[in-house]
C-alpha cells in the first residue's frame, strides 16, 4: 500500500467506536471531539462506557453483528480470539508498515494480536521492562554497615538485621525487613528464574511450566518461611490488602518493598520523609540464577488494544483515515518538548488556557469530564515510546528522593535483560477460564507454607492437585501455542 494514497482523499467519513474508561468519562460531543473532526475530516462518534459495564456491552454489540468501526479491548481473552476467527475484525497486516508507531511495535507484542496468523488488533503502549521490582532502604543498609544484597542469603541477612538491629536508630524495636501482603505480594522473585508468573522452567518433557509450581519457587517459599519465623516479614501479611501493606513501607516500618519507574505516588513518599527525613532508597538488581541467567521478567509490552470492524474491508480510504488518527495519538513526543510551543501537544490537550494550563514546566490537564481535550477522545492516546527509557519518568517527579530512586530503577532496568514471557503470546482457553482460580489456590497453599500452617513437604501434593484440576490441560495448550509461534526462551 502507498502511504500517500489517502492524502488527496477529501471524503468525510463517519467513524464509530466503543471503548471503556475506569473513571472520568467525557461527554459524547465535547469540544475535544469537534477538534478531532476538524483536523481529520471525520464525524467521530465515540461511545465510552464505564469499565464495570463494558464487558457485557461488548458481548451484546459483537453478537448483534452491527459492529462499530473501532472496538476497545481491555485484554485479548478467549472471546477476542473467537470473534477474530469468526471474521468480526479486519486483518491489519498490510497496513502496519505505513504507520511509524505501528511499525515500531516489536514482534513479541504483535504475537498476541494474531489469530490464525493474521493481526486483528493494535496494542496500546505499556512499558515492558519497567514492571514493579524490589527496592530497599539504602540508609538502613548504610546505618548497619551492610552492602547491597546480591543473592537470597544476603537479602535474608539484611532483612533480619532490619528487624533486629534498629536500622532507623530510634532506639525502639519498631522495624522489620520484608514488606509482604496478601497473595504473596511482592512475590520476591529476584529474576525470571524465581518468578511465579514467568513461564521460564521446563518439565522433563521440555514443556514450559508456570513458575508457581517450579522447584525455584519452592526455594523462595522456603526462604520466605524462614524469614517469617524470624519475624522479619509483615506479621499478618495474609490479611493485608494493597493499601495496608503499602502503608507498612511508607510509614517507615518495613525496609524492603516494591518500586517502579512509572506511577509512583509522591504523597506517600512525602509521608515517609516526614517520619525519616534522611531516608534513601535503591533499586535491587536481579540475582544470578543457578542456570547463569540474570534478569527480571518483561511485561506484555501493551495494555488494552483496538480492533477494527471487518465491515471496513472494502473501504481502504476510511481504514487509512482511521489509522492516521490512531498513529497520530501514539506519536512519541520527547518529555522536554511537551510544552504549549509544540503544536501537537497544544492541540492534543485542547489548547493552552482552555483544555490545559502550563505550570512549573508541566501540562496540567482539565477534567476529562469537561470534554475539552482531544486527548480524552483519541482512539489511542498512549505515546509509543521507541524505548522504555525514552519516557524519562524520573524527570516527572518533584520529590527529589523519589526522582533519584526512579532514576536508579531506570538505570538498573536499562542495564539488565528482561525475559520474554511466552504466556503473553499464546491463547489458551483453559488459561483464560481457569488460571485465576488455579493460581489463587497455589498462592493460598504457599501462603500457608510461609506461615507454617502447611508443611513445605506438601509441595508435590499441591502441584499434583493443580495439574489434576486443569493445570495439565493449560500447560498442554500453552505449549502448543508456544510451538505454533516458534518461541524459544529469549530476552529483551
Amino acid at each position: 500500500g502507498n502511504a500517500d494514497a489517502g492524502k488527496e482523499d477529501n471524503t468525510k467519513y463517519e467513524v464509530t467506536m466503543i471503548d471503556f474508561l475506569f473513571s472520568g468519562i467525557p461527554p459524547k460531543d465535547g469540544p475535544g471531539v469537534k477538534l478531532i473532526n476538524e483536523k481529520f475530516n471525520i464525524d467521530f462518534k465515540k461511545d465510552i462506557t464505564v469499565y464495570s459495564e463494558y464487558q457485557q456491552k461488548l458481548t451484546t454489540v459483537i453478537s448483534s453483528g452491527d459492529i462499530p468501526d473501532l472496538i476497545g479491548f481491555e485484554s485479548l481473552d478467549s472471546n477476542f480470539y473467537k470473534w477474530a476467527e469468526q471474521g468480526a475484525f479486519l486483518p491489519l497486516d498490510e497496513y502496519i508498515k505505513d504507520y511509524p508507531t505501528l511499525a515500531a511495535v516489536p514482534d513479541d507484542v504483535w504475537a498476541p494480536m494474531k489469530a490464525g496468523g493474521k493481526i486483528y488488533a493494535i496494542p496500546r503502549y505499556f512499558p515492558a521492562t519497567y514492571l514493579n521490582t524490589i527496592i530497599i532502604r539504602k540508609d538502613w543498609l548504610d546505618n548497619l554497615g551492610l552492602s547491597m544484597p546480591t543473592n537470597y542469603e544476603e537479602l535474608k541477612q539484611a532483612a533480619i538485621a532490619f528487624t533486629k538491629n534498629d536500622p532507623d536508630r530510634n532506639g525502639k524495636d519498631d522495624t522489620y525487613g520484608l514488606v509482604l501482603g496478601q497473595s504473596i505480594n511482592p512475590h520476591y522473585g529476584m529474576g525470571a528464574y524465581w518468578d511465579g508468573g514467568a513461564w521460564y522452567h521446563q518439565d522433563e518433557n521440555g514443556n514450559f511450566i508456570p513458575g508457581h509450581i517450579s522447584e525455584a519457587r519452592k526455594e523462595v517459599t522456603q526462604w520466605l518461611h524462614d524469614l517469617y519465623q524470624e519475624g522479619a516479614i509483615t506479621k499478618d501479611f495474609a490479611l493485608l490488602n494493597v493499601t495496608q501493606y503499602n502503608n507498612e513501607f511508607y510509614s517507615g516500618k518495613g525496609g524492603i518493598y516494591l518500586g517502579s519507574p512509572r506511577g509512583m505516588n509522591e504523597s506517600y513518599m512525602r509521608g515517609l520523609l516526614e517520619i525519616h527525613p534522611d531516608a534513601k532508597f535503591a533499586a535491587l538488581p536481579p540475582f544470578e540464577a543457578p542456570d547463569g541467567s540474570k534478569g527480571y521478567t518483561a511485561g506484555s509490552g501493551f495494555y488494552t488494544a483496538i480492533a477494527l470492524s471487518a465491515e471496513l474491508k472494502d473501504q481502504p480510504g476510511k481504514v487509512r483515515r482511521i489509522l492516521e488518527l490512531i498513529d497520530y495519538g501514539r506519536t512519541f513526543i520527547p518529555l522536554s518538548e511537551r510544552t504549549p510551543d509544540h503544536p501537537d501537544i497544544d492541540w492534543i490537550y485542547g489548547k493552552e488556557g482552555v483544555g490545559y494550563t502550563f505550570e512549573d514546566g508541566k501540562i496540567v490537564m482539565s477534567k476529562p469530564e469537561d470534554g475539552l481535550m482531544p486527548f480524552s477522545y483519541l482512539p489511542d492516546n498512549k505515546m509509543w515510546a521507541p524505548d522504555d527509557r525514552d519516557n524519562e519518568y524520573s524527570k516527572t517527579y518533584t520529590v527529589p528522593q523519589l526522582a533519584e530512586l526512579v532514576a536508579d530503577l531506570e538505570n538498573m532496568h536499562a542495564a539488565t535483560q528482561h525475559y520474554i514471557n511466552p504466556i503473553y503470546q499464546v491463547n489458551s482457553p483453559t488459561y483464560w477460564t481457569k488460571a485465576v482460580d488455579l493460581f489463587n489456590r497455589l498462592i493460598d497453599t504457599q501462603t500457608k507454607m510461609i506461615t507454617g500452617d502447611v508443611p513445605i513437604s506438601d509441595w508435590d501434593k499441591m502441584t499434583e492437585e493443580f495439574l489434576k484440576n486443569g493445570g495439565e490441560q493449560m500447560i498442554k495448550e500453552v505449549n502448543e501455542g508456544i510451538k505454533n509461534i516458534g518461541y524459544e526462551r529469549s530476552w529483551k
Side-chain angles (χ1 to χ4, degrees), residues 68-124:
D69 298 318
L70 294 168
I71 309 102
F73 283 89
E74 196 240 351
S75 63
L76 300 183
D77 58 9
S78 44
N79 271 339
F80 168 81
Y81 295 107
K82 181 181 77 185
W83 294 330
E85 279 158 13
Q86 288 168 355
F89 311 133
L90 182 76
L92 300 167
D93 307 69
E94 62 176 296
Y95 294 102
I96 303 298
K97 65 183 181 320
D98 294 340
Y99 299 90
T101 70
L102 302 185
V105 175
D107 290 344
D108 65 291
V109 181
W110 281 126
M113 308 291 137
K114 292 180 181 178
K118 287 193 162 63
I119 292 173
Y120 286 104
I122 294 169
R124 291 193 187 105

Side-chain angles (χ1 to χ4, degrees), residues 174-251:
D174 58 358
T175 57
Y176 66 93
L178 259 60
V179 174
L180 195 64
Q182 65 190 19
S183 304
I184 316 182
N185 229 339
H187 58 64
Y188 288 99
M190 297 302 300
Y193 182 90
W194 298 280
D195 181 351
W199 291 60
Y200 178 88
H201 295 275
Q202 290 164 287
D203 65 16
E204 61 278 6
N205 306 316
N207 286 314
F208 285 88
I209 59 166
H212 289 298
I213 59 169
S214 66
E215 282 298 306
R217 196 64 209 154
K218 180 182 178 182
E219 286 161 28
V220 176
T221 306
Q222 178 72 56
W223 179 83
L224 288 166
H225 168 82
D226 297 347
L227 281 171
Y228 185 80
Q229 294 216 292
E230 293 276 3
I233 285 180
T234 323
K235 216 179 15 261
D236 41 6
F237 76 92
L239 307 171
L240 296 190
N241 66 33
V242 63
T243 310
Q244 294 167 313
Y245 62 80
N246 196 51
N247 191 42
E248 291 290 301
F249 183 76
Y250 288 103
S251 63

Side-chain angles (χ1 to χ4, degrees), residues 249-407:
F249 183 76
Y250 288 103
S251 63
K253 292 183 211 160
I256 306 165
Y257 188 45
L258 282 181
S260 154
R262 178 190 169 280
M264 297 275 278
N265 187 308
E266 305 239 31
S267 60
Y268 292 159
M269 185 55 88
R270 285 192 194 99
L272 175 48
L273 292 165
E274 274 169 32
I275 303 162
H276 291 152
D278 300 327
K280 287 194 180 60
F281 311 87
L284 207 55
F287 297 161
E288 184 169 334
D291 67 357
S293 71
K294 190 176 182 182
Y296 288 116
T297 313
S300 64
F302 76 99
Y303 172 62
T304 73
I306 310 169
L308 275 67
S309 164
E311 302 286 313
L312 292 162
K313 67 176 178 301
D314 305 321
Q315 306 174 64
K318 182 168 170 179
V319 171
R320 291 200 174 274
R321 188 77 56 80
I322 288 170
L323 293 177
E324 209 179 297
L325 172 65
I326 289 174
D327 185 60
Y328 180 87
R330 294 159 57 94
T331 300
F332 185 81
I333 298 165
L335 187 66
S336 59
E337 294 172 33
R338 292 178 207 169
T339 72
D341 299 334
H342 195 297
D344 293 327
I345 287 293
D346 190 52
W347 183 87
I348 281 170
Y349 295 114
K351 312 283 170 118
E352 188 177 13
V354 183
Y356 74 98
T357 53
F358 196 62
E359 295 161 37
D360 301 324
K362 289 192 173 65
I363 301 274
V364 181
M365 295 193 258
S366 56
K367 290 214 290 288
E369 296 91 321
D370 297 338
L372 297 168
M373 305 178 290
F375 180 82
S376 304
Y377 297 96
L378 288 167
D380 188 348
N381 62 14
K382 306 277 183 285
M383 293 182 194
W384 194 277
D387 185 272
D388 287 345
R389 285 202 91 168
D390 295 328
N391 293 298
E392 299 186 290
Y393 292 125
S394 52
K395 293 183 182 168
T396 66
Y397 296 96
T398 52
V399 178
Q401 294 89 331
L402 189 51
E404 272 171 51
L405 166 61
V406 168

